């Protein structure tokens, strides 16, 4: 039977996320509102201004697996892993733009997205039609050959 800590370590190692090892700290300052998600391990997070919202939303936070923290644009966030004695595994987390994490509305899924796809398809169809017409116009001299056009010596031999 495997040890629970060993299976947790193997599961965390398989996660495709950012890693922060014990004894290291990371400072981030998003240009847009961002979201921090902790997958594995625990971190101590300190948020610095600009301050928006309730006063209890400021300062130090302790986050563990499954916790999510929205970091406002321009705020300075410092994050440091909290490691238990003998634990040398990294903290696994994800840092993404808040607009990416928001689910699209029904209108965006069912109207806006198909409209963009239709516009792209019509644009490609128009481009293809213009290429076909340009190609046909390039062959117009062969369509009128012999109708008032003087043939070159090589063309006259073919007859």
């Amino acid at each position: 039977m495997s040890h629970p800590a060993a299976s947790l370590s193997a599961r965390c190692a398989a996660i495709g996320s950012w890693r922060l090892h014990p004894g290291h700290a990371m400072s981030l300052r998003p240009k847009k509102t961002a979201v921090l998600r902790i997958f594995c391990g625990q971190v101590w997070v300190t948020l610095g201004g600009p301050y928006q919202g309730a006063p209890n939303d400021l300062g130090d936070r302790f986050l563990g697996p499954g916790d999510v923290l929205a970091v406002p644009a321009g705020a300075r966030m410092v994050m440091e892993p909290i490691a238990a004695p003998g634990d040398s595994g990294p903290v696994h987390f994800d840092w993404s733009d808040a607009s990416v994490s928001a689910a699209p509305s029904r209108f965006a899924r069912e109207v806006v997205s198909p409209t963009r796809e239709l516009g792209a398809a019509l644009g490609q169809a128009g481009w293809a039609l213009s290429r076909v017409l340009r190609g046909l116009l390039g062959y117009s001299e062969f369509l009128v050959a012999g109708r008032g056009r003087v043939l070159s010596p090589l063309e006259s031999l073919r007859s």
Side-chain angles (χ1 to χ4, degrees), residues 3 12 18 28 37 44 51-52 69 74 88 114 131 140 154:
H3 190 277
C12 289
W18 293 46
L28 300 166
R37 286 181 177 82
W44 172 19
Y51 298 121
Q52 300 172 358
L69 176 66
S88 62
R131 290 177 56 204
S140 65
L154 293 176

Side-chain angles (χ1 to χ4, degrees), residues 103-159:
S105 67
R106 180 177 175 202
F107 183 80
R109 280 191 321 267
E110 296 179 4
V111 177
V112 175
S113 181
T115 302
R116 285 186 185 146
E117 292 170 5
L118 178 63
L122 289 174
Q124 290 177 349
W127 178 248
L129 180 63
S130 71
R131 290 177 56 204
V132 167
L133 292 175
R134 189 175 61 221
L136 287 174
L137 291 174
Y139 284 106
S140 65
E141 66 185 41
F142 295 108
L143 297 175
V144 295
R147 296 184 188 145
R149 183 175 157 254
V150 178
L151 298 177
S152 69
L154 293 176
E155 289 177 323
S156 62
L157 291 177
R158 281 198 245 162
S159 330

Side-chain angles (χ1 to χ4, degrees), residues 17 25 27 42 44 47 49 51 55 78 89 91-92 96 101 126 128-129 135 142 151:
S17 59
S27 177
Q42 294 184 334
W44 172 19
L47 283 177
Y51 298 121
V78 179
V91 171
H92 295 262
S96 61
S101 63
L129 180 63
F142 295 108
L151 298 177

Side-chain angles (χ1 to χ4, degrees), residues 50-102:
Y51 298 121
Q52 300 172 358
N56 60 350
D57 287 343
L58 311 175
D60 294 341
R61 299 277 183 100
F62 296 95
L63 305 175
D67 289 339
V68 177
L69 176 66
V71 181
R76 183 169 181 243
M77 184 194 81
V78 179
M79 177 173 54
E80 184 177 346
I82 302 172
D87 182 15
S88 62
V91 171
H92 295 262
F93 67 96
D94 182 41
W95 176 259
S96 61
D97 188 15
S99 63
V100 172
S101 63

